[in-house]
């Protein structure tokens, strides 16, 4: 096919917070004119200030603002936006929105509406993957019509099983069932939950795989059927189905496994005619068997770690693809270099059951320096509200090796100051000191058993040892310098240094 370019100059970003800022930055580098939309809660938000133009789209609740197709399209028409980037969440995986953009002559910077639909129905997605020869987890072929049908299937595949919502994804509406006598009530509860959350109570069943890792592959496809993959992201460190830390590459994926998983991910994408950026999720067992779970038809929260290990700006590639250009990346040229880690910083109190911590951030000090990237939408005076996701920043580091990346992350976490609210930074620091994390030997159940208080105590012992060592070193130094010139050392006191470092931490 010959190239059909649909170049655009004005891009509307239909999102808020760190991802809106992230997208606006790439738009600015491409010389595009940018348009932000905001709810009344975000009147002073960073994405509003960053864009060339900004329009209010209504009251704080997302349903009346960031989720309103009508309001966003009205701003697009009024402002003359020729393309819309949906970011993640909100309308990013809404096939009606993608279709409405298309029908209004606006480029949706993402996949075709049909591809979103094909992957949005998780039962259809399983079928598509299977038909393409991709391994899936043992489970149902179609929707479960009745509890009885679920019972028969569960007996066949064996307990424990997982009930999943056909319209779900990302672990929403999942329910573990460990024995036959739990099934009937679990089925009813899961169906009702799915109906309430997605307007569709359809369920399917899969065998529950345990002791596995959650590994996903980034793909990029163009309008001409070319698809490449950009390696994996390790996403097993999750809490209540929310990812907390991601890293690339995974400690258990070698070059051969990366190539094989990548080829399978490309096949899944091609099976739904995939255009733009997408992510294929897999479970990886201890024997390195991998199973397709679902495909996310959007830019993901954790995309920066892939950017740091491949050197590819995924948002720039998304925009090029959406304007009809041929993929400029070739599989043979895509190399994973070094190691990247992302910590999701959220306004939650890790010492109080991760309760949301709302209020004014009176002061922000962001880490920087070699290999450090901070994607955030907050600033001095920012108000954290309960209207939106508590994630307020992503701290991402890159280094030559994973060990250096961990040390760098610890350094950057210690530098990071968000005064006025509680954050999960102390939790991240403890995870970076956890022998299990450092050894890279964890599965998706790791965080369920991770105990912050316990880890604080071991860490305190470590700090006492460090202070003792500093004291001894100081004493020795004093003795030496007295011997040499009879005066006090003009070096700063080790105690002072230790205290300053400790103060940085809290
Ligand atoms: C699974 C699973 C085990 N067995 N499916 C979580 C995100 C969503 N996309 C699918 N997820 C999972 N699906 C089967 N058949 C394990 C996960 C999973 C997980 C489950 C509980 C707690 C943490 C988890 C982390 C990653 C993946």
């Amino acid at each position: 096919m010959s190239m059909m370019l649909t170049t655009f100059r004005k891009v509307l970003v239909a999102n808020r917070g760190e991802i809106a800022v992230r997208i606006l930055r790439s738009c600015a580098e491409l010389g595009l004119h940018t348009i932000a939309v905001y709810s009344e809660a975000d009147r002073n938000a960073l994405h509003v200030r960053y864009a060339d133009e900004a329009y209010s789209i209504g009251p704080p609740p997302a349903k009346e603002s960031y989720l309103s197709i009508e309001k966003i399209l009205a701003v697009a028409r009024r402002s003359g936006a020729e393309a819309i980037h949906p970011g993640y969440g909100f309308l990013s995986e809404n096939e009606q929105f993608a279709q409405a953009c298309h029908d209004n002559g606006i480029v949706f910077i993402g996949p075709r509406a049909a591809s979103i639909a094909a992957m949005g129905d998780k039962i259809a997605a399983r079928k598509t993957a299977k038909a393409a020869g991709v391994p899936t987890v043992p489970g149902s072929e179609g929707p479960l019509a009745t509890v009885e049908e679920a019972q028969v299937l569960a007996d066949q595949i064996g307990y424990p099983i997982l009930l999943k919502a056909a319209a779900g994804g990302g672990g929403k509406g999942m329910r573990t069932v460990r024995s036959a006598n739990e099934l009937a009530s679990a089925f009813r509860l899961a169906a009702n939950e799915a109906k309430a959350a997605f307007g569709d109570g359809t369920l399917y069943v899969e065998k529950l795989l345990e002791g596995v890792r959650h590994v996903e592959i980034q793909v990029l496809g163009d309008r001409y059927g070319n698809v490449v993959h950009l390696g994996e992201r390790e996403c097993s460190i999750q809490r209540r189905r929310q990812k907390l830390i991601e890293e690339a590459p995974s400690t258990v994926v070698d070059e051969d496994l990366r190539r094989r998983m990548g080829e399978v991910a490309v096949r899944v994408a091609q099976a739904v005619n995939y255009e733009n950026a997408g992510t294929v999720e897999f479970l990886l067992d201890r024997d390195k068997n991998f199973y397709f779970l679902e495909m996310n038809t959007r830019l993901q929260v954790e995309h920066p770690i892939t950017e740091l290990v491949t050197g590819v700006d995924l948002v720039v590639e998304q925009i090029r693809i959406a304007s009809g250009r041929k993929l400029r990346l070739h599989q043979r040229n895509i190399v994973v270099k070094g190691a990247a880690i992302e910590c999701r910083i959220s306004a939650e109190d890790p010492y109080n059951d991760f309760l949301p911590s709302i209020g004014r951030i009176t002061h922000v000090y962001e880490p920087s320096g070699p290999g450090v990237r901070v994607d955030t939408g907050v600033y001095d005076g920012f108000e954290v509200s309960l209207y939106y996701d508590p994630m307020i920043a992503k701290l991402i580091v890159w280094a030559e090796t994973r060990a250096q990346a961990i040390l760098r992350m610890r350094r950057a976490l210690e530098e990071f100051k968000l005064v006025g609210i509680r954050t999960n930074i102390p939790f991240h620091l403890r995870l970076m000191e956890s022998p299990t994390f450092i050894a890279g030997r964890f599965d998706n159940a790791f965080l369920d058993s991770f105990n912050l208080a316990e880890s604080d105590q071991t860490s305190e012992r470590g700090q006492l040892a460090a202070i003792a060592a500093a004291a001894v070193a100081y004493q020795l130094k004093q003795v030496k310098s007295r011997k040499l010139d009879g005066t006090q050392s003009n070096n700063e006191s080790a105690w002072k240094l230790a205290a300053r470092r400790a103060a940085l931490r809290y």
Side-chain angles (χ1 to χ4, degrees), residues 137 162 164 169-171 174 206-209 212 214 235-236 238 241 281 283 293-294 444 448:
V137 185
L162 261 178
K164 295 187 174 189
M174 269 172 31
E206 274 180 9
K207 183 157 185 69
L208 171 71
L209 300 188
V212 292
H214 187 179
C235 302
S236 300
Q238 311 201 5
R241 311 267 148 88
E281 284 186 13
L283 288 180
L293 273 185
E294 54 190 84
N444 63 13
D448 300 338

Side-chain angles (χ1 to χ4, degrees), residues 444-491:
N444 63 13
F446 168 53
L447 267 202
D448 300 338
S449 59
F450 188 79
N451 187 310
L452 180 59
E454 215 172 81
S455 147
D456 275 355
Q457 277 175 12
T458 29
S459 176
E460 237 148 38
R461 276 202 293 276
Q463 275 176 26
L464 282 174
I467 291 168
V472 172
Y474 178 58
Q475 237 170 8
L476 288 172
K477 210 174 206 175
Q478 290 249 306
V479 171
K480 263 195 228 158
S481 53
R482 276 199 206 104
K483 268 187 192 158
L484 283 174
D485 59 20
T487 61
Q488 284 269 336
S489 159
N490 58 2
N491 284 333

Side-chain angles (χ1 to χ4, degrees), residues 359-372:
R360 182 181 295 274
I361 304 177
T362 55
H363 183 67
V364 181
Y365 181 83
E366 285 178 16
S368 61
V372 175

Side-chain angles (χ1 to χ4, degrees), residues 122 126 136-138 160-164 168-172 174 176 204-216 235-243 281-283 291-296 443-448:
K122 303 301 167 188
R126 256 174 75 83
T136 55
V137 185
I161 57 144
L162 261 178
L163 289 173
K164 295 187 174 189
K172 269 184 250 153
M174 269 172 31
T176 303
Y204 66 107
V205 66
E206 274 180 9
K207 183 157 185 69
L208 171 71
L209 300 188
E210 295 178 285
V212 292
R213 287 172 179 252
H214 187 179
V215 175
E216 59 187 29
C235 302
S236 300
I237 314 256
Q238 311 201 5
R239 236 195 120 263
R240 295 181 188 157
R241 311 267 148 88
Q242 290 278 44
K243 293 171 189 165
E281 284 186 13
F282 296 99
L283 288 180
Y291 308 88
F292 169 83
L293 273 185
E294 54 190 84
M295 180 172 188
N296 302 318
D443 59 32
N444 63 13
F446 168 53
L447 267 202
D448 300 338

Side-chain angles (χ1 to χ4, degrees), residues 212-242:
V212 292
R213 287 172 179 252
H214 187 179
V215 175
E216 59 187 29
I217 304 278
Q218 176 71 52
V219 298
L220 282 173
D222 68 15
R223 179 177 304 183
Y224 312 101
N226 304 300
V227 183
V228 295
H229 74 84
L230 292 99
E232 80 283 4
R233 292 186 288 258
E234 164 69 65
C235 302
S236 300
I237 314 256
Q238 311 201 5
R239 236 195 120 263
R240 295 181 188 157
R241 311 267 148 88
Q242 290 278 44

